């Protein structure tokens, strides 16, 4: 195999594979990127057997073929080369020679024979704007549990339905739910329900960031995998196994009281007060009184802090404990200026929603209180 | 308190008076003596001795199972009396307490006078005899009250502590047990005075921190471990545990697991009484040949619920028990208190909450009708008679705490 490729293009595509390539793997070849030259393109493939990515870029192919080289080392080296063309030639011993200007390097590779095959892509079931996907991931991803326990999964539920895309994530203490309006949901040929692993969501976001305005992901799935084709890039992931909790039961049907606040004000107030919350529990007390929301924290070692924020609130006086981090996660991710805090009592889940006219989709964030 | 359990038994059955009485169980039962009357002690019977040994030494003794609930009730009465003499009372065990009398001279008079008034008040209110040691440290007071028994009052005048301690056997020092005693003997140290003559550095090299504590103790100072805390200062329990020795070794899974359930209920009950939630559950398992293993597990969520303790303890048991091996003793130990505000669950099958409600209801019934009024079905076959012990001489003790 022998080809010439632009340094900038190679670096861009290689960068996308870095998140997928295993850093510490027991299977050495998984640290490598598979390079294939065909026609007028080269294709780069990386996988950790859970997640796979395949991208390509134009190249002048002198001799078609395939080979694998260490992904990290290749990127680290190529990135340092001056802008311009790079020639790559794979040798008999699976090594690859890289020539650019006055630089000559031979990088130790491995035979492509032992590189795992990615599963074939099944027929497309939906076309989804990547911007919508990325925005849904940003608004649910933080609620995914770090550890897997009885009631949680390290991933999010993706629902493709004619009425729109829905993504739900939970760690058992809080739950984030986004339903995109049909106008932003693309076209869904057939309803689909799948659990996407957290790592795949991160990679999907990277693909979206790098895709152009209006880019669409062609979505498909087989029994074990999910496929997202964005332009000439394909991300595929193993489906997360397990049952997603019955989120509809968790979404509050009614709320007795609502406090509407300025997002920036409440966010900064919580950020400040939380400095004096117990470091482990991150507990703050949130007091809802007429026209005002007050926040308190205290820690035996560090001290205490309180702050108040004006609010539209007419309900009875309520004091509820919350994990400050949970509230901030939501307040940091919404774009709207106002936020509605819906509550019932000290023991029931509270719900946060963006408020105001600019709200176009349904974004609900349900947080269970802390016993204080 | 003097021969506390036996004295309480005598209040309910005056025919026991003056006779050799042993509390702890039947003479042929496995287990140890909880308490012995002075008449029984003359035959060499003492607490913590196997019942069968006691039966050999004193076959004519009257062996009683005992009434833990009576002892606790009387212990509370004792506390009431003590509390009238000083606000700073520390119940070191069910039948032992320390009073900080600092600043009470105007109210109660000089030390000896105050002690005699306390002694008389105790007899009048509880009909029980006690012995009082007065000293400038808890350590000396404890040793001194031991010397004052039975029914006496002894005051070690400040400055005379070392002189008082010097001729005593090192075993009289709280915290010096069989092991330390043997190690000290190996150095030729038998009396507290011998210990006091040694350099602190030497003891520290030999025994580490404990050596420093020993040096302090030998001079009559409160030193080491619990003695470093103030009187009545509530440091709270560091762990809560219960264990049970089977009257006959068993390898019957149903019985072992039932006992485990019972132990967890006892641990859970005390956790709730103290308002604590444990992060760590430990299983103790002793086989017939006395090999003992302990295995611990950290819980995903701290708990004070019997059922959750039991599930963890049972899982530990199933993983670690050599199936079919005869078990002599089982123990459940909870530790690692979680004080932090508890994050409630959004997604739960409601089980935790339902158990919480059920357990709270069960506790109310237990408060009213006794500990065995309600129990987990799993523990029904694991009922065993509660054993309670007077504080053995030589231990500072910290088993029962009063609010």
């Amino acid at each position: 195999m022998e080809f010439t490729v632009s340094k900038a293009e190679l670096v861009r595509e290689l960068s996308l594979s870095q998140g997928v390539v295993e850093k510490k793997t027991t299977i050495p070849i998984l640290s490598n990127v598979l390079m294939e030259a065909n026609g007028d393109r080269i294709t780069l493939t990386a996988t950790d057997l859970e997640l796979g990515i395949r991208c390509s870029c134009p190249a002048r192919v002198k001799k078609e073929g395939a080979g694998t080289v260490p992904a990290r080392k290749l990127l680290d080296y190529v990135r340092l080369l001056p802008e311009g063309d790079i020639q790559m030639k794979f040798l008999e011993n699976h090594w690859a020679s890289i020539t650019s200007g006055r630089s000559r390097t031979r990088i130790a590779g491995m035979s492509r024979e032992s590189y795992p095959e990615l599963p074939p892509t099944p027929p497309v079931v939906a076309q989804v704007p990547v911007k919508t996907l990325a925005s849904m991931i940003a608004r649910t991803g933080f609620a995914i549990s770090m550890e897997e326990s009885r009631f949680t999964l390290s991933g999010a539920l993706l629902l493709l339905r004619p009425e729109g895309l829905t993504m739900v994530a939970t760690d058992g203490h809080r739950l984030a739910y986004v339903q995109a309006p049909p106008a932003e949901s693309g076209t869904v040929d057939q309803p689909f329900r799948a659990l996407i692993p957290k790592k795949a969501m991160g990679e999907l976001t990277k693909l979206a960031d790098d895709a152009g305005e209006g880019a669409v992901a062609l979505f498909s799935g087989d029994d074990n995998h999910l496929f997202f084709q964005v332009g000439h890039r394909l991300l595929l992931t193993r489906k997360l196994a397990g049952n997603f909790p019955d989120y509809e039961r968790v979404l509050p049907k009614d709320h007795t009281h609502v406090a509407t606040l300025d997002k920036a004000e409440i966010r900064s107030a919580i950020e400040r007060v939380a400095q004096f919350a117990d470091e482990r529990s991150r507990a703050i007390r949130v007091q809802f009184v007429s026209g005002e929301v007050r926040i308190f924290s205290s820690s035996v070692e560090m001290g205490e802090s309180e702050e108040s924020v004006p609010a539209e609130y007419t309900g009875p006086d309520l004091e509820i404990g919350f994990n400050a981090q949970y509230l901030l996660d939501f307040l940091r991710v919404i774009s709207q200026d106002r936020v509605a805090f819906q509550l019932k009592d000290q023991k029931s889940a509270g719900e946060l929603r963006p408020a105001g006219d600019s709200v176009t989709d349904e974004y609900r964030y349900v947080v269970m209180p802390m016993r204080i | 308190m003097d021969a506390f359990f036996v004295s309480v038994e005598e209040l309910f059955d005056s025919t026991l008076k003056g006779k050799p009485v042993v509390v702890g169980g039947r003479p042929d039962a496995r287990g140890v003596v909880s308490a012995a009357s002075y008449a029984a002690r003359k035959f060499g019977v003492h607490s913590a001795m196997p019942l069968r040994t006691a039966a050999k030494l004193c076959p004519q003794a009257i062996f009683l199972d005992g009434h833990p609930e009576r002892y606790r009730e009387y212990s509370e009465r004792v506390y009431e009396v003590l509390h009238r003499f000083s606000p700073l009372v520390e119940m070191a065990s069910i039948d032992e307490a320390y009073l900080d009398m600092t600043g009470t001279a105007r109210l109660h008079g000089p030390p000896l006078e105050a002690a005699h008034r306390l002694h008389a008040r105790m007899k009048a209110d509880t009909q029980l005899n006690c012995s009082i040691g007065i000293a400038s440290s808890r350590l000396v007071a404890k040793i001194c009250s031991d010397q004052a028994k039975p029914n006496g009052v002894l005051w070690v005048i400040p400055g005379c502590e070392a002189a008082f301690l010097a001729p005593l056997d090192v075993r009289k020092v709280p915290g010096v047990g069989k092991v330390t005693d043997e190690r000290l003997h190996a150095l030729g140290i038998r009396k507290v005075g011998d210990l006091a003559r040694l350099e602190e550095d030497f003891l520290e090299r030999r025994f580490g921190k404990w050596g420093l504590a020993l040096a302090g103790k030998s001079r009559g100072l409160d030193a080491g471990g619990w003695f470093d805390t103030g009187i009545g200062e509530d440091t709270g329990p560091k762990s809560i545990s219960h264990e049970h020795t089977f009257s006959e070794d068993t390898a019957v899974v149903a019985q072992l697991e039932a006992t485990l359930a019972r132990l967890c209920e006892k641990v859970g009950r005390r956790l709730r009484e103290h308002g604590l939630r444990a992060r760590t559950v430990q299983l103790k398992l002793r086989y017939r040949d006395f090999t003992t293993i302990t295995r611990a597990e950290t819980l995903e969520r701290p708990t004070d619920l019997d059922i959750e303790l039991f599930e963890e303890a049972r899982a530990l048991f199933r993983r670690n028990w050599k199936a079919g091996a005869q078990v002599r003793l089982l123990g459940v130990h909870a530790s690692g208190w979680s004080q932090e505000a508890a994050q409630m669950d959004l997604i739960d099958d409601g089980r935790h909450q339902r158990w919480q409600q059920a357990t709270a209801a069960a506790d109310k019934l237990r408060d009213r009708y006794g500990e065995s009024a309600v129990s987990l079905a799993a523990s029904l076959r694991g009922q065993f008679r509660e054993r309670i012990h007077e504080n053995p001489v030589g231990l500072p003790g910290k088993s029962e705490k009063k609010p």
Side-chain angles (χ1 to χ4, degrees), chain B residues 79-210:
Chain B
Y79 176 81
E80 299 295 320
V81 175
L82 298 177
H83 201 69
R84 271 187 265 158
F85 280 77
S86 166
L88 292 174
V89 180
E90 173 131 11
M91 291 300 286
S93 70
I94 194 164
D95 69 335
E96 269 187 328
Y98 296 98
L99 270 77
D100 186 343
M101 297 294 283
T102 310
T104 62
R106 277 186 142 185
L107 200 59
H108 302 303
L112 263 184
E113 195 185 316
H116 278 292
R117 282 167 65 176
L118 172 59
H119 194 257
R121 169 63 42 202
M122 188 63 76
K123 183 74 181 175
D125 285 10
T126 67
Q127 300 166 269
L128 294 171
N129 289 336
C130 65
S131 296
I132 300 173
I134 312 159
S136 55
S137 70
R138 271 174 291 173
L139 178 99
V140 176
K142 177 174 168 77
I143 298 171
C144 179
S145 74
D146 192 41
Q147 298 296 102
K149 279 178 194 298
N151 209 16
V153 174
L154 184 61
W155 179 25
V156 174
I157 300 164
C160 299
E161 291 87 356
F164 163 73
L165 293 173
L168 299 176
D169 193 288
V170 283
R171 278 298 280 269
K172 291 276 183 192
V173 176
V176 176
K178 207 172 145 195
V179 176
T180 309
D181 188 33
E182 277 168 11
R183 290 176 69 186
L184 288 171
H185 271 207
L187 297 171
I189 296 160
R190 281 168 196 278
K191 304 289 180 201
V192 183
D194 302 337
L195 193 59
R197 273 192 292 276
L198 292 176
E199 294 284 332
E200 262 187 29
D201 291 353
F202 171 79
L203 284 167
E204 192 182 3
R205 276 199 307 279
R206 268 271 148 124
F207 296 94
K209 252 190 181 172
W210 173 226

Side-chain angles (χ1 to χ4, degrees), chain A residues 172-173 250 280 368-371, chain B residues 279 342-347:
Chain A
H173 302 307
V250 170
R280 226 161 77 168
M368 206 57 192
M370 299 184 89
R371 226 171 271 117
Chain B
R279 260 180 200 289
Q343 173 65 50
M344 291 192 258
D345 285 319
L346 180 63
I347 294 163

Side-chain angles (χ1 to χ4, degrees), chain A residues 191-247:
Chain A
F192 202 94
R193 178 190 167 99
L195 291 171
I196 314 183
K198 191 181 170 83
K199 197 175 169 190
M201 291 166 73
E203 295 306 316
L204 204 49
T205 304
K206 282 190 213 161
L207 279 192
D209 289 347
D210 210 56
E213 195 60 30
V216 166
L218 305 179
F219 175 79
S220 57
D222 63 20
D223 287 348
N224 299 313
H225 303 90
L226 304 172
F227 302 78
F228 297 88
Q229 177 87 47
V230 183
H232 54 268
R233 294 168 183 150
L234 170 73
L235 178 79
L236 63 113
T237 173
R238 205 174 265 281
K239 278 184 186 171
L240 200 60
N243 289 320
F244 197 80
D246 181 5
Y247 68 90

Side-chain angles (χ1 to χ4, degrees), chain A residues 258-261 289-293 309-315 338:
Chain A
V258 184
T260 311
L261 304 110
V289 294
S290 185
E292 200 174 64
V293 168
V309 174
E312 290 167 32
Y313 181 71
T314 51
R338 291 189 71 75

Side-chain angles (χ1 to χ4, degrees), chain A residues 39-78:
Chain A
D40 57 356
R41 296 186 82 82
I42 56 163
T43 305
L44 307 175
T45 305
T47 181
D48 63 356
L49 300 180
E50 289 294 318
L51 205 61
I53 192 160
R54 175 174 285 159
C55 357
S56 69
C57 62
R60 289 196 302 281
V61 179
K62 202 167 166 190
K63 192 180 164 201
E64 296 191 341
T68 80
V69 284
R72 183 85 239 171
K73 185 54 80 187
L74 180 64
L75 176 62
D76 287 349
Y77 174 71
V78 171

Side-chain angles (χ1 to χ4, degrees), chain A residues 139 142 175-179 250-255 257-263 266 327 330-331 333-343 350-367:
Chain A
R139 287 182 290 166
F142 58 82
L175 178 142
Y177 170 100
V178 192
Q179 184 173 347
V250 170
L251 292 172
K253 306 271 176 306
D254 51 4
H255 289 285
H257 318 293
V258 184
T260 311
L261 304 110
D262 182 273
K263 179 194 68 180
I266 184 75
L327 300 185
F330 174 84
L331 295 170
V333 83
I334 57 170
S335 54
Q336 289 82 0
D337 295 335
R338 291 189 71 75
V339 57
F341 207 137
Q342 308 178 307
L343 8 118
E351 183 178 335
L352 289 148
R353 289 194 198 212
D357 301 335
S358 58
V359 181
T360 55
D361 52 4
E362 199 179 352
Y363 182 26
R364 308 176 64 177
Y365 182 58
V366 183
V367 191

